[in-house]
């Protein structure tokens, strides 16, 4: 259907520098050495193996690429593989051999979402053919920080097209360029979105971890249904320069990883100021806090944690989630925290949050302005000559692989019909409403008025209010839907939205720049529960490091 999606598979099948042995039943050992299983491998385990010479970064790239190729035809997770990944890994191995490392992520393969710009041989498309072949003058601020930290950017993941900001009737994890992504805990599972591929990739060990982006829920939601830790940072903690935007007031980039500490390592690498994103210049510190050091088992001791209970609405079908949430409260209390229930947002805030269109107006007006100003105008080459949202919409309507009109452009239609952008008085009124509803009338008021350190909510209820004020949230695994769960599909019938073993999460919510504290609380909860280990995905790649390290290498050939 979409030949462009499979180019990377053909390239790597032709150019990989090794022969795969029998890996239907993977070994964990080779030559007497024990290797970490890649579905569970942590930053510290991989760093230990690299430092000891047990394996190399080239070995890691080879293993992860093979794992991707094993499952990608079924799950449709990765749209681009970096053709330079092996050479970059070899260079980083050489640096390590000479006694130089750039940090704890040196030589670690990471996948990034397909809307994060890179000035290399990979495309940055947001899942649209409108941007295929377009090139950037330099890396995004995020990609530059990853490279400076010694990360191997292994490839790019599929996403809900345009970060879920195109259609009113599309599906999570679908893009014209990348097709439909599925999660791995149930056949045809809805991966949530918009960081769909990033969530699935981390959940089954297609890289050490991945990066997603969030405007409202796009890290938190796919993290929870893929049994991951997701960190949605304060807007301005991580650069958005040359990341395809929706809203400068709500967009943020953050890690999606299998453990809190792995997520903290990745956040440490990408946090910090960037002169190309003026929001980052508002950071209240010159150097970001020690997020890895914040991973302390005792972090909850003596803390005051609140529950804005009236935010938990529309509870039908979420009985298992809410029961697990009640149990989590007891775990947090046993960890030494005081948990205060029913600290509700005001009735006005709840009504506006559930019924006002102000939040959509802000996103629409920002998108109309930010897409051309902060991204399209920066392109060095622009094969489809899309200069603004109207051009992108016209292309989408007239290019059949974009699947219009079956998948509409209702979000864009509304934005274009708005009649104003983010410099108008109408926009400002809507934005001020957001700040009031989520601020003094909402979660920030609850935090301040009750001298709280954080709030907790089931992750299904956590993204919306923090999105409006750009404040941080960390989600951790909380549980899985039980065996007697009725299988429910989406309205298209293409994705399973509810079924046995689908994961769900618990969120810790705090004020701006409180990531270190939230990471500490999440770590303390994670270490007491280890929920992630309780259920395994139904589909897991077989290739392990032992298969790669023990396999004789052959010269790279061209076909």
């Amino acid at each position: 259907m979409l030949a462009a999606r499979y180019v990377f598979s053909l390239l790597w099948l032709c150019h990989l520098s090794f022969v795969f042995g029998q890996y239907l039943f993977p070994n964990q050992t080779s030559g007497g050495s024990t290797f970490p299983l890649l579905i569970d491998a942590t930053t510290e385990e991989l760093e230990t193996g690299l430092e000891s010479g047990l394996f190399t970064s080239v070995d890691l790239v080879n293993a992860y690429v093979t794992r991707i190729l094993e499952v990608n035809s079924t799950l449709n997770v990765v749209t681009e593989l970096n053709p330079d990944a092996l050479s970059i890994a070899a260079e980083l191995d050489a640096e390590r051999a000479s006694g130089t490392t750039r940090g704890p992520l040196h030589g670690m393969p990471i996948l990034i979402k397909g809307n994060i710009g890179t000035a290399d041989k990979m495309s940055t498309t947001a899942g649209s053919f409108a941007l295929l072949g377009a090139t950037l003058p330099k890396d995004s601020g995020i990609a530059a920080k990853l490279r400076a930290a010694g990360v191997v950017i292994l490839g790019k993941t599929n996403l809900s097209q345009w970060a879920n900001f195109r259609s009113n009737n599309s599906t999570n994890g679908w893009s014209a360029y990348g097709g439909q992504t599925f999660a791995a805990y149930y056949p045809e599972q809805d991966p949530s979105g918009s960081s769909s591929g990033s969530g699935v990739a981390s959940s089954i060990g297609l890289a050490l971890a991945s990066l997603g982006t969030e405007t409202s829920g796009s890290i938190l939601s796919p993290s929870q249904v893929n049994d991951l830790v997701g960190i949605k940072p304060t807007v301005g903690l991580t650069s958005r320069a040359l990341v395809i935007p929706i809203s400068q007031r709500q967009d943020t980039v953050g890690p999606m990883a299998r453990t809190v500490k792995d997520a903290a390592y990745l956040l440490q690498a990408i946090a910090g100021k960037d002169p190309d994103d003026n929001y980052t210049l508002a950071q209240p510190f010159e150097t970001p806090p020690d997020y890895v050091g914040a991973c302390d088992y005792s972090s909850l001791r003596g803390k005051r944690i609140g529950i804005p209970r009236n935010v938990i609405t529309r509870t039908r079908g979420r009985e298992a989630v809410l029961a697990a949430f009640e149990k989590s409260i007891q775990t947090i209390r046993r960890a030494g925290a005081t948990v205060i229930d029913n600290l509700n947002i005001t009735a006005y805030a709840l009504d506006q949050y559930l019924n006002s269109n102000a939040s959509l107006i802000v996103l629409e007006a920002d998108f109309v302005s930010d897409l051309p100003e902060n991204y399209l105008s920066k392109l060095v080459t622009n094969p489809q000559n899309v200069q603004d949202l109207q051009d992108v919409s016209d292309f989408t309507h007239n290019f059949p692989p974009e699947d219009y009109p079956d998948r509409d452009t209702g979000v864009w239609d509304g934005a274009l019909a708005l009649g104003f952008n983010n410099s108008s008085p109408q926009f400002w009124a809507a934005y001020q409403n957001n700040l009031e509803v989520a601020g003094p009338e909402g979660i920030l008021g609850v935090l301040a008025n009750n001298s709280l350190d954080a709030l907790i909510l089931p992750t299904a209820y956590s993204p919306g209010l923090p999105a409006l004020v750009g404040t941080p949230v960390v989600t951790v695994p909380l549980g899985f839907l039980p065996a007697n769960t009725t299988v429910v599909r989406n309205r298209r019938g293409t994705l399973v939205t509810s079924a046995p073993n689908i994961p769900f999460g618990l969120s810790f919510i705090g004020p701006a720049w409180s990531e270190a504290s939230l990471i500490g609380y999440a770590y303390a909860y994670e270490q007491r529960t280890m929920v992630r280990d309780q259920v395994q995905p139904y589909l897991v790649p077989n290739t392990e490091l032992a298969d790669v390290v023990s396999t004789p290498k052959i010269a790279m050939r061209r076909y």
Side-chain angles (χ1 to χ4, degrees), residues 7-13 15-17 61-62 65 78-91 118-123 147 152-156 556 558:
V7 169
F8 78 90
S9 297
L10 296 174
L11 288 171
W12 280 86
L13 286 171
H15 296 293
L16 280 177
S17 61
V61 169
N62 283 332
V65 167
V78 177
T79 57
E80 307 275 340
L81 279 174
N82 187 351
D84 296 323
L86 281 172
S87 61
I88 291 169
E91 291 170 6
T118 53
D120 55 16
K121 296 171 185 174
M122 293 186 288
S123 294
R147 296 192 207 277
V152 180
I153 301 177
L154 184 62
K156 296 191 180 182
M556 185 176 289
R558 292 189 179 275

Side-chain angles (χ1 to χ4, degrees), residues 30 34 51 55 126 160 174 191 225 291 337 352 446 451 528:
S30 175
T34 301
E51 277 293 297
F55 50 82
S160 308
W174 179 89
V225 304
Y291 299 121
Q352 289 291 300
V446 172
S451 302
R528 285 169 170 81

Side-chain angles (χ1 to χ4, degrees), residues 51 60 88 134 137-138 159 174 182 186 198 208 221 254 258 273 323 342 347 357 359 361 371 393 400 452-453 506 558:
E51 277 293 297
L60 283 174
I88 291 169
K138 61 180 180 179
L159 69 161
W174 179 89
F182 299 99
Y186 195 88
S198 292
L208 168 62
S221 186
R258 293 181 292 275
K273 297 181 179 181
N342 294 310
N357 68 344
S359 59
I361 288 172
L371 179 63
S393 182
L452 299 175
D453 295 290
L506 170 70
R558 292 189 179 275

Side-chain angles (χ1 to χ4, degrees), residues 402-451:
E402 291 287 323
D403 204 21
Y404 177 88
D406 184 53
R407 297 176 195 261
D408 65 35
T409 55
V411 175
W412 297 349
D413 299 344
L416 291 167
L418 199 60
F420 58 85
N421 62 21
N422 63 9
S423 63
S424 74
Q426 298 101 308
F427 167 83
W428 192 249
Y431 181 52
Q432 291 304 305
N433 184 77
N434 282 359
L435 297 182
E436 182 74 10
V437 165
E441 298 274 348
I443 54 171
L444 297 186
V446 172
L447 284 162
N449 297 336
N450 297 281
S451 302

Side-chain angles (χ1 to χ4, degrees), residues 130-453:
L131 293 177
L132 184 63
T135 59
L136 293 166
K138 61 180 180 179
D139 278 333
S140 62
I142 287 292
K145 282 185 177 292
L146 289 176
R147 296 192 207 277
V151 165
V152 180
I153 301 177
L154 184 62
K156 296 191 180 182
T157 58
N158 197 23
L159 69 161
S160 308
Q161 193 181 42
W162 293 100
N164 251 353
F165 208 71
R166 164 192 153 173
S167 303
N168 291 322
N169 68 340
S170 190
T171 52
N172 289 323
W174 179 89
S175 73
Y177 181 61
Q180 178 64 62
T181 296
F182 299 99
Y185 281 84
Y186 195 88
E188 298 185 338
Q189 181 195 338
D190 188 327
S192 192
S194 63
S195 304
S196 313
S198 292
V200 180
S202 289
S203 76
I204 57 174
L206 304 187
L208 168 62
S210 59
L211 286 183
T213 67
E214 176 152 333
T215 306
S216 182
S218 288
I219 290 172
L220 298 173
S221 186
S223 290
Q224 78 153 339
V225 304
N226 286 288
D227 201 21
L228 296 175
V229 176
I231 301 177
K232 178 254 178 177
T234 303
V235 172
L237 181 66
T238 55
S239 172
R240 292 87 46 82
L242 296 181
V243 175
I244 297 171
I246 294 176
S247 167
Q248 60 183 278
R249 288 160 182 81
Q250 293 186 205
D251 292 349
T252 188
V253 182
M256 303 168 73
R258 293 181 292 275
T259 70
V260 173
K261 187 172 281 190
D262 285 343
Y265 273 114
L266 191 48
L267 181 63
Q268 200 79 59
I270 63 174
K273 297 181 179 181
D274 179 358
D276 292 329
D277 181 353
N278 62 2
Y279 277 68
T280 68
L281 305 182
Q283 293 175 17
F285 32 71
E286 286 304 312
T287 301
D290 183 357
Y291 299 121
V292 178
C295 295
D296 183 343
Y297 188 83
S298 301
S299 294
L300 283 166
R301 185 179 302 156
K303 302 305 179 184
R304 289 172 55 83
I305 308 297
I307 304 172
R309 184 69 68 165
N310 65 343
V311 175
I312 302 176
T313 59
R314 294 186 285 274
T315 58
R316 184 178 178 182
R318 289 176 171 167
E319 292 81 6
V321 174
L322 297 176
F325 178 64
E326 297 304 321
K327 288 182 63 177
S328 75
I329 296 169
Q330 301 311 311
T331 300
I332 291 168
R333 284 183 171 139
R334 286 194 296 270
T338 299
V339 180
I340 308 163
D341 208 340
N342 294 310
L343 297 178
N344 294 328
I345 67 173
T346 67
Y348 169 78
L350 184 63
D351 175 69
Q352 289 291 300
Y353 174 54
L354 296 178
N355 301 310
S356 171
N357 68 344
S359 59
L360 179 59
I361 288 172
V362 168
L363 298 185
E364 289 176 341
D366 261 349
F367 191 56
V368 167
S369 297
D370 293 352
L371 179 63
E373 292 174 14
N374 296 341
Y375 195 80
L376 297 179
S377 66
K378 312 290 187 185
L379 295 175
V380 175
T381 59
N382 186 348
Q384 303 304 329
N385 195 31
V386 287
Q387 302 295 328
D388 55 24
L389 179 56
Q390 186 65 64
D391 288 346
V392 172
S393 182
D394 291 344
F395 174 88
T396 301
H397 291 171
N398 291 287
F399 190 69
E402 291 287 323
D403 204 21
Y404 177 88
D406 184 53
R407 297 176 195 261
D408 65 35
T409 55
V411 175
W412 297 349
D413 299 344
L416 291 167
L418 199 60
F420 58 85
N421 62 21
N422 63 9
S423 63
S424 74
Q426 298 101 308
F427 167 83
W428 192 249
Y431 181 52
Q432 291 304 305
N433 184 77
N434 282 359
L435 297 182
E436 182 74 10
V437 165
E441 298 274 348
I443 54 171
L444 297 186
V446 172
L447 284 162
N449 297 336
N450 297 281
S451 302
L452 299 175
D453 295 290

Side-chain angles (χ1 to χ4, degrees), residues 27-35 54 545-547 549-551:
N27 298 314
Q28 298 180 44
T29 59
S30 175
S33 299
T34 301
F35 298 86
L54 181 62
L545 275 167
D547 302 302
V549 173
S550 62
T551 302

